[in-house]
Amino acid sequence: MKDTLSVTFTGDIGFSRYFKDSWQKKDLLDDKILAFCNDSDHVVANVEGSVIDPEKTEIKSDKTMFLHFTHAGACEHFKAMGADVWCLANNHAMDIGDAGIQSTIRHAELYGAVTVGGGKDLEEASAPVILGENTVGLIALGYFPGCVAPEEDHGGVLNWKHVELLEERIRQVKKTCKYCVVISHDGEEFTSMPQEYIRKRYMSYLEMGADVIIGHHPHVPMNYEKVGDKIIFYSLGNFIFDTDYQRAQMNTETGILVKLIFSDEGIDFTAMGTRNNREENRLEAGELPAIFTEINEEEYKLLLPLASQAFIEAEKKRKRFVKPEEFGSFSDEQFKAYLLSDERTEYIKDERMDFAYMYAEAEKIKEGAWKESRLEQVKEYLLKQL
């Protein structure tokens, strides 16, 4: 391998709602962002939603508020960034069905990019992308059940219910490549730190042999954690993504670009903060958010009660936004009763939206151990959300 190989990763990208027509803007991305991306051997873009020509594509979907697709004209921005790998493992890849994901793959090919995490079947969706001279292998997967898996009559994406296949692919990569990166579209939306079951899941990927985890889906930036010579980035937040659903929450206008630098000696990284200028619908370079810092296990345990309460508050906002007629007048006690009910369709015990776990953690705020954390900026960042 050459001395180093650099790979930049983006957060969530969706040219819809406020960014629907922004693909027409030549100055959508400021020069500092483009320079950061272009000073990389490879750029991996998380392309949420299908890339289509809407004038030639019939759009049938019952998702309404949560339907996302990107006009094919946006590919010029991917090209300008040097995005030669498109990650398809996300919960919007199948918003308009098989035609949508196949269109995305075709457009990637037209622009000289390869795709990872999605395909016509599980074999294709789980196939690694190899970068450099067998330096880095990329594998991408999403959460269950939101990330639709391939079936006989349609393509789809790899998700964490295919854990045995993921482990097999990681072993395959490590036989020929020095490093393995798992890109994971997972975690709870709008929370600033991972819940324990997400953290355990990502740790298990490291135990399988992955060297780096790159996370997105929460739509807000999160912390990172070093585990020996390995590292987990829990969420890069939003890159090009903005909706009213997002604006109802805190910190959705900020994101992170992470550049991994691989060498024989190990893995290093540098990062750039990004900010959505909502007055101009334009991406600008910004400061790295306070939450984007290393939080080790000791600090994590101290701060998790604050993060859990912050997520409970975010979920209340989410419910009030999506169904104001049902949840607009709910009291805290009514929300607690609802969120602790196991009748919620999105709930999966110990795996997703497990509010029994979160409420138990949030109760620990009263014990005051969080005050012992030395990460003052992180405490302030979380307290603003309560």
Side-chain angles (χ1 to χ4, degrees):
M1 62 180 284
K2 68 174 191 174
D3 291 342
T4 63
L5 182 79
S6 58
V7 186
T8 292
F9 296 82
T10 79
D12 298 322
I13 299 175
F15 282 82
S16 55
R17 305 307 189 272
Y18 288 100
F19 280 111
K20 179 181 178 181
D21 298 318
S22 294
W23 59 271
Q24 300 176 67
K25 293 184 176 182
K26 292 183 179 180
D27 64 345
L28 175 65
L29 304 173
D30 79 16
D31 290 343
K32 291 181 180 178
I33 290 175
L34 288 173
F36 186 88
C37 292
N38 293 157
D39 187 30
S40 310
D41 296 308
H42 302 279
V43 174
V44 183
N46 174 40
V47 181
E48 289 219 49
S50 302
V51 176
I52 63 171
D53 183 340
E55 296 179 358
K56 299 178 181 178
T57 306
E58 184 179 8
I59 300 171
K60 292 182 178 180
S61 175
D62 58 1
K63 289 203 169 191
T64 58
M65 184 189 301
F66 301 108
L67 171 64
H68 295 286
F69 61 85
T70 289
H71 193 291
C75 295
E76 292 297 332
H77 291 291
F78 297 150
K79 181 180 179 180
M81 290 165 53
D84 56 344
V85 182
W86 296 8
C87 178
L88 306 188
N90 58 70
N91 57 309
H92 293 293
M94 297 295 291
D95 276 8
I96 54 177
D98 191 62
I101 193 169
Q102 299 306 331
S103 174
T104 307
I105 293 169
R106 286 196 303 273
H107 280 95
E109 292 174 349
L110 284 172
Y111 278 82
V114 295
T115 58
V116 65
K120 65 180 181 298
D121 51 34
L122 273 178
E123 179 73 16
E124 189 170 281
S126 64
V129 167
I130 308 302
L131 304 178
E133 297 177 0
N134 289 333
T135 303
V136 178
L138 304 177
I139 305 167
L141 77 162
Y143 72 92
F144 175 87
C147 298
V148 179
E151 294 185 9
E152 289 185 6
D153 61 342
H154 63 74
V157 306
L158 188 69
N159 67 49
W160 51 250
K161 282 299 181 181
H162 308 117
V163 64
E164 292 180 358
L165 179 55
L166 171 66
E167 187 167 12
E168 177 184 326
R169 290 303 201 183
I170 291 174
R171 286 199 304 266
Q172 174 186 339
V173 165
K174 293 294 284 187
K175 285 180 181 178
T176 57
C177 296
K178 186 171 179 64
Y179 300 107
C180 176
V181 175
V182 171
I183 306 167
S184 180
H185 196 79
D186 200 351
E188 308 293 10
E189 288 187 329
F190 313 123
T191 184
S192 297
M193 288 172 52
Q195 289 299 314
E196 182 63 23
Y197 49 85
I198 300 295
R199 183 171 176 268
K200 286 180 177 178
R201 187 177 301 150
Y202 284 5
M203 290 290 179
S204 74
Y205 297 167
L206 297 186
E207 291 167 3
M208 291 175 192
D211 299 286
V212 181
I213 311 298
I214 296 286
H216 38 62
H217 174 63
H219 296 297
V220 292
M222 295 171 71
N223 60 296
Y224 62 88
E225 183 173 5
K226 293 181 179 178
V227 184
D229 57 358
K230 302 184 178 189
I231 189 165
I232 302 172
F233 297 93
Y234 285 103
S235 173
L236 303 186
N238 280 334
F239 184 43
I240 305 170
F241 206 109
D242 197 19
T243 67
D244 286 327
Y245 175 71
Q246 307 282 314
R247 293 187 179 197
Q249 301 286 348
M250 296 179 67
N251 305 313
T252 56
E253 76 281 10
T254 58
I256 303 157
L257 294 171
V258 165
K259 183 180 298 177
L260 297 178
I261 303 163
F262 301 92
S263 70
D264 281 334
E265 286 68 44
I267 305 168
D268 198 359
F269 77 92
T270 184
M272 170 181 280
T274 65
R275 177 168 292 274
N276 175 9
N277 180 334
R278 283 177 163 162
E279 293 182 359
E280 300 180 12
N281 292 333
R282 183 174 182 273
L283 271 295
E284 301 172 348
E287 295 183 359
L288 287 167
I291 193 64
F292 186 72
T293 189
E294 181 179 1
I295 298 181
N296 62 27
E297 185 172 16
E298 178 184 358
E299 288 284 353
Y300 174 80
K301 290 179 178 178
L302 292 173
L303 294 166
L304 185 57
L306 293 181
S308 296
Q309 185 62 53
F311 180 62
I312 291 169
E313 297 305 318
E315 182 62 10
K316 293 176 186 176
K317 291 179 184 178
R318 188 177 80 89
K319 286 296 184 183
R320 288 185 179 120
F321 179 84
V322 175
K323 294 185 177 181
E325 70 287 351
E326 182 176 350
F327 297 103
S329 61
F330 260 37
S331 67
D332 288 346
E333 286 305 310
Q334 286 176 304
F335 263 116
K336 184 173 182 178
Y338 170 77
L339 293 174
L340 292 178
S341 168
D342 60 6
E343 295 177 1
R344 292 175 295 117
T345 56
E346 68 267 48
Y347 160 82
I348 305 176
K349 181 175 171 54
D350 297 327
E351 294 185 351
R352 184 166 184 263
M353 303 291 277
D354 190 345
F355 282 94
Y357 174 84
M358 292 175 217
Y359 270 103
E361 282 295 329
E363 278 294 310
K364 297 177 185 177
I365 290 176
K366 299 173 184 177
E367 299 172 8
W370 60 271
K371 297 177 183 178
E372 300 174 14
S373 169
R374 296 183 294 275
L375 301 176
E376 295 298 331
Q377 287 184 309
V378 175
K379 283 192 287 188
E380 182 180 354
Y381 187 88
L382 294 172
L383 286 167
K384 286 179 180 179
Q385 301 174 48
L386 303 188

